[in-house]
Amino acid sequence: MSADLLQRGQHIKLAVFDVDGVLTDGRLYFLEDGSEFKTFNTLDGQGIKMLMAAGVQTAIISGRKTPVVERRAKNLGIPHLYQGREDKLVVLDELLGQLNLSYEQVAYLGDDLPDLPVIRRVGLGMAVANAASFVREHAHGVTQARGGEGAAREFCELILRAQGRLDAANAAYL
């Protein structure tokens, strides 16, 4: 983990996640009745809970809208959920106004071109290992794990480590 990423993570007060390809493996599963399902990694969910327990706010911004994501956000206790919003930077602007935060206090984890404007604007903009190559090239860092396979947990632990809170977050479960 680079010193630059740790430095960027020190002042993070809000962690924002894309869904498809980040909290999931990016595949879309549609049933015959038109409903869909997604698979989420429990390691990622625990990482998000650890961040929130440490006082870092969390949000999801997704271009797609589905009840499955709403259920997952509610299950994890993520207070800020925005779905069906393609212009993620506009959404982030709205959220920052509500929370009275600056871009430098935001970390974002994404995987594809709609995430790129946010990744390039925030204090810590990261891409998952299997993100589009152009997105990886312009991110501050790239996770070792793939989307839906622990990348969000890695991202959360980076922020906690940068803020000197990872050991305490882990010790809470001893």
Side-chain angles (χ1 to χ4, degrees):
M1 183 171 317
S2 77
D4 178 58
L5 291 179
L6 289 173
Q7 183 177 13
R8 288 177 176 279
Q10 287 178 353
H11 307 289
I12 299 302
K13 302 224 182 282
L14 172 66
V16 183
F17 303 86
D18 178 36
V19 176
D20 296 319
V22 172
L23 295 178
T24 74
D25 64 9
R27 291 186 270 187
L28 302 176
Y29 301 92
F30 294 98
L31 302 177
E32 286 187 27
D33 66 2
S35 63
E36 67 180 272
F37 70 93
K38 300 175 184 289
T39 59
F40 296 92
N41 188 305
T42 58
L43 292 173
D44 291 341
Q46 183 61 41
I48 291 169
K49 287 180 179 181
M50 290 165 62
L51 264 187
M52 291 188 297
V56 176
Q57 297 189 61
T58 57
I60 289 174
I61 303 175
S62 178
R64 300 188 74 247
K65 183 173 179 146
T66 175
V68 176
V69 173
E70 185 175 345
R71 190 173 317 124
R72 182 64 171 157
K74 184 177 180 181
N75 183 265
L76 292 175
I78 297 173
H80 308 286
L81 172 62
Y82 300 88
Q83 293 194 84
R85 303 287 299 269
E86 289 293 329
D87 192 339
K88 296 178 179 191
L89 199 53
V90 169
V91 176
L92 184 58
D93 283 339
E94 293 169 14
L95 183 56
L96 291 180
Q98 291 172 22
L99 300 176
N100 197 28
L101 295 174
S102 68
Y103 284 112
E104 292 75 28
Q105 295 172 301
V106 177
Y108 185 90
L109 184 61
D111 73 314
D112 210 347
L113 294 175
D115 302 310
L116 193 54
V118 177
I119 287 171
R120 293 185 58 170
R121 184 68 176 94
V122 298
L124 175 61
M126 292 192 61
V128 297
N130 58 322
S133 62
F134 191 71
V135 176
R136 290 192 317 266
E137 290 171 16
H138 287 88
H140 298 124
V142 178
T143 63
Q144 291 182 351
R146 297 168 58 87
E149 298 178 6
R153 175 63 169 266
E154 186 180 328
F155 174 74
C156 293
E157 287 187 357
L158 183 153
I159 295 166
L160 290 168
R161 183 174 287 114
Q163 296 181 4
R165 297 178 180 181
L166 182 59
D167 290 340
N170 287 329
Y173 292 92
L174 293 177

